[in-house]
Amino acid sequence: MTRPPGDRRAGWRVTLGNVVFNNDTPAGRAFDLVLIVLILASIGVVMLDSVRPFRAAYGPGLKQVEWVLTLLFSLEYGLRLVTARHPWNYARSFFGLVDLLSILPGYLALFVPGAETLLIVRVLRLLRIFRILKLARFLSEASVLTEAIRASAAKITVFLVTVLTLVTIIGALMYLIEGPANGFTSIPTSIYWAIVTLTTVGYGDIAPKTPLGKGLASLAMILGYGILAVPTGIVTVSLARAQGAQNQGAQDRRPAPRVCPRCGLEGHDPDARFCKRCGEELPSA
C-alpha cells in the first residue's frame, strides 16, 4: 500500500529529527560527534585568525574555512527548525538561541568588519557534550551551586552596594588628597584606582605619592583582604545548606530500612525474605 504524500513527509521529518536531536541511535551519535569536531575547528579558526602572523600568512584561507563552517552551521540550524516537533519552542530554548547566535556574527561581518570575532560564542555549543557523553547526571551538582547563589543573592547585593559605596568614598578622598598632579585626574579615575586596590589587583599604573595618600592606600589594601572573604563565606554557607537539603531529599526518597520483627536486626538485602540472623520472615518493603 502506498503511503500518502503527507505521511511520507512526516516520516522524513521524524527520521531526520531522530538523527539531529536524538543521540541514542548510531546515526544521531555520529551526527553529534561530527558537530563537536566542527565546533572545535571553528573555535580554532577564530583564534588563529586573531594571531597576526597567521592572519598575514593564511588570512584568505581562514576566511574561507570560517564561511564554510558558518554555512554548515546554518544548514544544521535550518534542519533543527524543520525537524523539531515544536520549532518555535526550540528557537526560544537555550540551545536554540545559542545555535542562532553562533551563526549570526558570520553574516554580521559582511557589514561590520571584525564582527567575526564574536563567532567565539560557538564555544557555548560545547555544552552539548554533556548530553552526548551521557554526563547530564553531573548537572545536578550545577543545580546545587545555582540554588546556593540564588539563596545568597540578597546578601551579595547588599555586599556589592557596600563595596561600591566604599570605593566611591575612597576614590573621592584620594582625588582630594593627591589631585591631578599625581595622576588622579578625576574622581572616576580615582574610583578606578580604588577598585583596583580594593580587589588586590594592583596594576600600578596610578599610585599615591603623598604620605596621607599612601596611608589611605594602605587602609584600602587591608580592607580589600577582608572584603574578599565576605562573598566566599556567604556562598559557602549557602552551598552547604543547598547540599544538605539535596542529601536530605535523597535520604527521604530511600526506602525505610527493613527490621526483623523478632530480633530487630537491620541492614537486610532489598530482595531478602528472611532474617539472616534468626530466620524470621521479614515484612515486605
Side-chain angles (χ1 to χ4, degrees), residues 21 76-77 80 89-102 123-131 139:
F21 286 101
E76 178 234 349
Y77 182 72
R80 291 184 183 276
N89 291 341
Y90 159 72
R92 292 184 302 168
S93 67
F94 172 77
F95 281 115
L97 293 174
V98 169
D99 293 345
L100 179 61
L101 291 176
S102 69
V123 71
L124 291 175
R125 303 197 70 193
L126 291 178
L127 293 175
R128 295 182 186 275
I129 200 169
F130 285 98
R131 182 172 62 88
L139 293 178

Side-chain angles (χ1 to χ4, degrees), residues 7-64:
D7 291 345
R8 286 198 298 269
R9 184 175 181 273
W12 170 80
R13 290 182 60 188
V14 170
T15 302
L16 188 56
N18 286 333
V19 175
V20 174
F21 286 101
N22 189 0
N23 68 320
D24 292 331
T25 63
R29 188 173 182 83
F31 178 85
D32 282 343
L33 291 176
V34 170
L35 181 61
I36 292 296
V37 172
L38 292 177
I39 293 171
L40 291 173
S42 174
I43 295 170
V45 168
V46 174
M47 289 182 176
L48 290 176
D49 189 52
S50 68
V51 180
R52 184 173 299 176
F54 278 97
R55 185 169 63 250
Y58 308 105
L62 292 174
K63 294 294 184 185
Q64 291 177 3

